[in-house]
Amino acid sequence: MIEVDVLKKVPVREQAPAERAKNFKEVCLGYDKEEAMAEATRCINCKNARCITGCPVSINIPAFIEQVKEGNIEGAYKIISESSALPAVCGRVCPQESQCEGVCVRGVKGEAVSIGKLERFVADWARENGIRPEPAKVKRGKRVAVIGSGPAGLTCAGDLAKYGYDVTIYEALHKAGGVLVYGIPEFRLPKDAVVEKEIENVRSLGVKIETDVVIGKSITIDELLEQEKFDAVFIGSGAGLPKFMGIPGENANGVFSANEYLTRSNLMKAFDENSRTPIMKSKKVAVVGGGNVAMDAARTALRLGAEVHIVYRRSEAELPARVEEVHHAKEEGIIFDLLTNPTEILEDEKGWVCGIKCVRMELGEPDESGRRRPVVVPDSEFVIDVDTVIMSLGTSPNPLISSTTKGLEANKHGCIVATEDTGKTSRDSVYAGGDAVTGAATVILAMGAGKSAAKAIHEQLSA
């Protein structure tokens, strides 16, 4: 029997840093049943559970944890799957520390309950024991098209299928999963063992998925509504258009967007020497940016054999990446060049990256985001010798869909304009959510938007 300190989380097992830095196997090994049941005893089952309001998809967290505590893991899974289409994913990549765990009452005096690790355990147990969400008992005879098979699209499609609608997902790439398959590395989110199984669960609800369909080129939303006779459309196409700094040298050989670098590694398996789309074997890499995607790119480059530097213009306190991801990166040997801003990428005579020129920064007054604005330190220019630069400065939506759909409003950033609570757009019967609306954000926020839109579509079609 595991002894439980109510003020501290039951520790979770992980690969040792020196070992995991050389492979793409999952870093966190998760709880076993005994550990999960022990951690579940720390939950005090609040009557007014703030953790539920902290969850973008409103999982009944105390109820599922109570079932774990009693050893009824199937019951816990049924409770979770009422609200979440992707629990094994969320248990791994959600920023629980700023959501459900961030408002956990147990965390007021001590550490919050490890909600994310418990969700992961339940979802993994269900998968290993062949437990799947229950399909709809009633078919409504109406059809909905979902654009994109990332977290927003999968969630919206899954919920609509549970409501009884005939749902078809259209995915531009050759493999379903969106950012879950092309953006997040294997060592954080295993593709075959986790993502593919979650997608199979959505398919088991009756959802059809068609890949290699580029909406706006293969077929337009207007054609889906007018010719294919879909009753509604949800746009969950994400934000895959990378941003750059606009500094000299960004077109040099050896400069990647984080999106390209991660897509090649995650989706195209470029780390395999037999891959049809291999990626260069770098010796020294600079990753510009400080978010989760920057950490993913840096830790991927490390596993491909490079010395890796994170170059970020603010201090560690302002890093937007999850604390856990920063901690793991440091453990693995990533070098953090903080309060550092690139000004030029240097090229050799053949046009290949040979360094990145930077200046030192210091923090001034807060800017519109609330973070202290970085200011250049005079006469502080220096060069980091690198052969590869990965730009991880965020992404924006591809304008193809908004530019090929009649009456669909987008803002100056290319994001589709939609109401926050319903996802309703300026075009009748067209809804949108996730990164296509907000710009790059988290998996769980995209799922929350997909869930809200599914409810709104159901209310429209069942009126």
Side-chain angles (χ1 to χ4, degrees):
M1 187 70 180
I2 296 174
E3 289 189 17
V4 177
D5 181 344
V6 295
L7 298 180
K8 292 185 178 180
K9 296 179 179 182
V10 173
V12 65
R13 292 163 289 120
E14 295 179 344
Q15 277 198 78
E19 177 185 350
R20 71 186 190 233
K22 298 176 182 178
N23 66 59
F24 281 83
K25 296 177 183 177
E26 192 168 13
V27 170
C28 180
L29 304 178
Y31 286 145
D32 61 23
K33 186 174 181 179
E34 183 182 13
E35 291 165 338
M37 290 176 68
E39 177 64 19
T41 65
R42 299 184 59 238
C43 176
I44 58 177
N45 204 1
C46 306
K47 289 185 178 179
N48 298 311
R50 294 189 295 182
C51 56
I52 298 177
T53 59
C55 173
V57 294
S58 303
I59 294 171
N60 189 339
I61 292 168
F64 101 73
I65 291 179
E66 183 67 22
Q67 294 303 307
V68 174
K69 183 165 64 176
E70 295 176 4
N72 181 10
I73 313 305
E74 183 174 353
Y77 177 74
K78 288 181 178 178
I79 292 170
I80 294 173
S81 63
E82 288 174 2
S83 303
S84 175
L86 307 169
V89 170
C90 291
R92 287 169 165 82
V93 303
C94 270
Q96 288 95 3
E97 67 277 4
S98 61
Q99 294 177 162
C100 54
E101 294 181 21
V103 293
C104 173
V105 170
R106 177 58 78 191
V108 174
K109 294 182 179 179
E111 296 179 350
V113 175
S114 193
I115 298 168
K117 297 297 188 292
L118 290 175
E119 180 182 19
R120 168 190 165 146
F121 163 74
V122 171
D124 287 355
W125 183 94
R127 180 182 69 250
E128 290 160 6
N129 287 273
I131 309 299
R132 287 189 167 179
E134 297 179 4
K137 294 181 174 63
V138 177
K139 297 295 183 182
R140 298 182 181 274
K142 292 187 177 181
R143 303 168 66 229
V144 181
V146 171
I147 314 304
S149 64
L154 289 170
T155 298
C156 185
D159 278 17
L160 286 168
K162 289 177 184 176
Y163 285 131
Y165 295 98
D166 182 343
V167 184
T168 301
I169 296 177
Y170 294 98
E171 168 57 47
L173 296 176
H174 66 279
K175 196 172 183 67
V179 70
L180 305 177
V181 295
Y182 74 72
I184 303 175
E186 190 82 15
F187 54 82
R188 281 217 294 139
L189 186 62
K191 306 301 171 246
D192 293 340
V194 175
V195 178
E196 185 56 42
K197 296 299 187 293
E198 296 275 68
I199 293 171
E200 285 177 12
N201 282 345
V202 174
R203 280 193 172 104
S204 74
L205 296 171
V207 174
K208 297 180 284 294
I209 302 178
E210 294 191 21
T211 57
D212 298 307
V213 179
V214 181
I215 300 300
K217 284 193 173 182
S218 306
I219 190 170
T220 66
I221 287 177
D222 296 328
E223 289 168 343
L224 288 174
L225 290 167
E226 295 163 11
Q227 297 178 19
E228 299 298 323
K229 303 301 181 184
F230 280 97
D231 297 286
V233 173
F234 172 75
I235 304 169
S237 50
L241 190 64
K243 298 177 181 177
F244 289 88
M245 292 184 70
I247 60 176
E250 278 187 317
N251 291 324
N253 297 318
V255 178
F256 296 86
S257 70
N259 253 32
E260 179 188 355
Y261 195 83
L262 290 170
T263 299
R264 283 197 184 192
S265 178
N266 299 332
L267 183 64
M268 310 304 291
K269 309 301 180 189
F271 56 81
D272 185 340
E273 292 182 357
N274 298 317
S275 170
R276 293 175 60 189
T277 58
I279 204 161
M280 64 184 291
K281 297 292 186 183
S282 308
K283 293 180 180 178
K284 199 169 180 179
V285 175
V287 178
V288 181
N292 289 324
V293 175
M295 299 304 145
D296 286 344
R299 295 172 69 197
T300 296
L302 180 80
R303 283 159 171 77
L304 291 172
E307 174 185 305
V308 184
H309 293 244
I310 289 281
V311 179
Y312 181 62
R313 63 182 185 154
R314 289 184 167 95
S315 72
E316 184 169 346
E318 285 80 30
L319 279 169
R322 293 183 67 188
V323 172
E324 181 180 55
E325 299 308 314
V326 175
H327 171 69
H328 282 157
K330 285 183 174 180
E331 281 190 327
E332 292 167 6
I334 304 291
I335 299 162
F336 282 73
D337 291 309
L338 302 174
L339 290 169
T340 300
N341 199 42
T343 58
E344 182 180 355
I345 297 169
L346 305 178
E347 305 174 49
D348 64 19
E349 65 280 359
K350 294 183 178 179
W352 286 88
V353 172
C354 64
I356 184 167
K357 190 181 290 185
C358 303
V359 290
R360 300 290 183 194
M361 310 294 286
E362 59 186 8
L363 296 180
E365 295 301 313
D367 61 15
E368 60 276 2
S369 71
R371 296 182 297 174
R372 293 173 65 192
R373 186 186 301 276
V375 180
V376 176
V377 175
D379 302 318
S380 63
E381 195 170 80
F382 68 102
V383 173
I384 304 173
D385 294 324
V386 296
D387 59 13
T388 305
V389 175
I390 301 172
M391 291 292 184
S392 183
L393 306 169
T395 54
S396 59
N398 189 312
L400 180 62
I401 289 177
S402 58
S403 65
T404 58
T405 306
K406 291 182 294 188
L408 186 64
E409 183 183 353
N411 65 22
K412 63 181 181 180
H413 303 293
C415 298
I416 295 168
V417 176
T419 57
E420 185 176 351
D421 55 339
T422 66
K424 189 170 179 55
T425 71
S426 56
R427 172 71 187 271
D428 286 344
S429 300
V430 177
Y431 296 75
D435 292 3
V437 170
T438 62
T442 63
V443 167
I444 190 62
L445 289 176
M447 290 177 62
K451 191 173 189 65
S452 297
K455 182 180 178 184
I457 292 169
H458 169 56
E459 288 173 351
Q460 175 195 320
L461 297 184
S462 61

